[in-house]
Amino acid sequence: MTGGYLILERPNAGIVLSTNARFYAIVKPIHDEVKPDSWAWAWTDVKLTSPQMSRETMYKLSLKHLMLHDSRNPFVEYAVQYAVAAAYANFDENKKDSLHKLLLKGLDITILGCNNFYSYRKQIEALGLPLTPESLATLQPFASIAFNAGESNGENCKPEVAKTGLGSSAAMTTAVVAALLNYLGVVSLSSSKDMDLDVVHVIAQTAHCIAQGKVGSGFDVSSAVFGSQRYVRFSPQVISSAQDAAGGKPLEEVIGDVLKSNWDHERTKFSLPPLMTLLLGEPGSGGSSTPSMVGAVKKWQKSEPQKSLETWTKLSEANSALETQLNLLSKLAEENWEAYKGVINSCSMYRSEEWLKQGNEPSHIEVVRALLGTRDAMLGIRSYMRMMGEAAGVPIEPESQTQLLDATMNMEGVLLAGVPGAGGFDAVFAVTLGDSSSKLVKVWSSHNVLAMLVREDPHGVSLESSDPRTKEITSAISSVQIK
């Protein structure tokens, strides 16, 4: 929600809201028993299944080098290799024997991603349905993802469904890491101890960085593990041993070093104040390339260091102001619930210019002023983000988005609206008061914006016993479910 671009550099913070869009990883053995003559085997089987993509891939995992023999999906493969290496790095010799025996049964991994990670607006339009969340809800949970023809031998096929920008690669990587670490006995997710979650975070963060070939801010993996938060990135050198792994050092030692590194990221719990709803909208006006936009901003920083520093400082101050006002609203709700609830419900029916009229007692006026302070901070953030985009020559808040966001913020009961993350054309978000979100959904639909079936869910990784495909979409949760 805040921290776009700034979050790449310490000590800048960002506010990250996790949602109910989840990835799931289900892990079980391939074989029920270990064959008597298999103890000395140097390889074991790994089966990776993606029902949505109608794909099943078999790998061989070297139990000596802890490496998969084939490379097709780097995010999943590094997740598997690093999770297994973490088990070897953590266990004594007795536990390693048990681990070896468990691995000889093979690893059967099934991966599922909620529909919210993918754009289905083309399918909805083709069916002649309105652009509404109700239309999205008619899709089967974990809907199939069609692929284009690719080459004649089936290679290089790509999904025809576009992504919605909710951090699918980070969520998938974290799901696989968490499920494997729990299955192998490295962590116990049923207890949700911070120490166990820290191990999941370190391994998932490292696997994701190495798989994507660069060290990003890591906010997406951190929110996948821990949920909504205020986040300050880690120093990139904490994963240097993994980056240097090609030097021949055993993977068990490499991951052991990563686990012992001084992970200096900062994480503080955060969630929206009560009676507020997060809405995400898909404008359908074409996607944006985050890496190229970040590259353009960095180029501008180098060419105009003084001006860029001034803009970044003002943007950082506006981000802090928004965080302060939202925390104040949570505090006011805690101190005087009835006054807070009354103001929120009243303001939900009016545009912001009318909000001050809804407070006639000091406790009411305090809530209204915090609401207006939140709006002002968001307007400041949007202004500095636009300024940065114009100076760097990239559409951080394009004109079409500006018009949509201004119209959104002028509606009854809308607290704020903006472009998430690095900005661009991909998505918009809004936070509404009370029961006012349904009006906004209708207005967005009339502007060709599809409101997604996404809400804030401040919780991160969790462990459950059932397969998500056996549940309704409204309550689907998995063996291991990750934002």
Side-chain angles (χ1 to χ4, degrees), residues 2-16 217 219 230-234 264-267 301 308-309 311-317 319-320 323 388:
T2 70
Y5 298 94
L6 273 72
I7 204 169
L8 290 164
E9 295 181 9
R10 289 176 55 84
N12 297 318
I15 292 176
V16 190
S217 71
F219 81 88
R230 176 189 187 271
Y231 176 80
V232 177
R233 70 158 305 149
F234 57 89
D264 53 359
H265 58 287
E266 297 172 28
R267 172 179 53 83
Q301 282 181 284
S308 62
L309 179 61
T311 305
W312 273 47
T313 301
K314 289 174 182 174
L315 178 56
S316 179
E317 289 167 356
N319 287 340
S320 297
E323 181 187 345
M388 182 164 61

Side-chain angles (χ1 to χ4, degrees), residues 366-386:
E366 197 174 6
V367 176
V368 173
R369 290 196 187 284
L371 290 173
L372 293 172
T374 302
R375 280 180 66 89
D376 287 344
M378 191 68 216
L379 289 169
I381 290 169
R382 286 182 52 202
S383 173
Y384 295 124
M385 290 282 272
R386 279 196 305 272

Side-chain angles (χ1 to χ4, degrees), residues 342-352 354-356 358 368 371 412-414 433 436:
V343 171
I344 296 295
N345 289 335
S346 294
C347 291
S348 71
M349 296 182 280
Y350 297 94
R351 292 167 60 177
S352 60
E354 305 290 318
W355 288 356
L356 272 175
Q358 312 312 309
V368 173
L371 290 173
E412 297 90 344
V414 175
L433 305 177
S436 61

Side-chain angles (χ1 to χ4, degrees), residues 84 86 298 313 336-337 348:
V84 173
K298 285 184 173 178
T313 301
N336 190 337
W337 172 248
S348 71

Side-chain angles (χ1 to χ4, degrees), residues 14-54:
I15 292 176
V16 190
L17 298 181
S18 56
T19 77
N20 58 352
R22 288 182 172 269
F23 253 89
Y24 308 80
I26 302 166
V27 179
K28 59 186 179 182
I30 296 175
H31 314 292
D32 292 333
E33 300 291 337
V34 178
K35 293 178 183 177
D37 60 342
S38 66
W39 185 252
W41 288 0
W43 298 87
T44 192
D45 295 320
V46 177
K47 182 169 80 170
L48 179 63
T49 307
S50 173
Q52 288 161 286
M53 298 184 183
S54 302

Side-chain angles (χ1 to χ4, degrees), residues 129-161:
L129 297 172
L131 286 172
T132 62
E134 289 76 19
S135 297
L136 281 174
T138 63
L139 296 170
Q140 285 292 318
F142 312 108
S144 294
I145 298 168
F147 279 73
N148 59 26
E151 296 169 15
S152 57
N153 61 359
E155 294 293 316
N156 299 322
C157 294
K158 293 186 177 179
E160 289 184 344
V161 176

Side-chain angles (χ1 to χ4, degrees), residues 211-247:
Q212 68 182 355
K214 63 184 177 69
V215 185
S217 71
F219 81 88
D220 42 7
V221 171
S222 188
S223 64
V225 177
F226 298 107
S228 296
Q229 62 191 272
R230 176 189 187 271
Y231 176 80
V232 177
R233 70 158 305 149
F234 57 89
S235 299
Q237 58 265 30
V238 297
I239 66 162
S240 58
S241 63
Q243 291 173 300
D244 301 337

Side-chain angles (χ1 to χ4, degrees), residues 183-217:
Y183 174 75
L184 298 174
V186 182
V187 302
S188 174
L189 293 179
S190 56
S191 62
S192 291
K193 291 177 184 171
D194 280 353
M195 190 168 64
D196 283 347
L197 293 179
D198 284 340
V199 173
V200 173
H201 175 249
V202 166
I203 300 302
Q205 199 72 264
T206 307
H208 192 251
C209 286
I210 300 302
Q212 68 182 355
K214 63 184 177 69
V215 185
S217 71

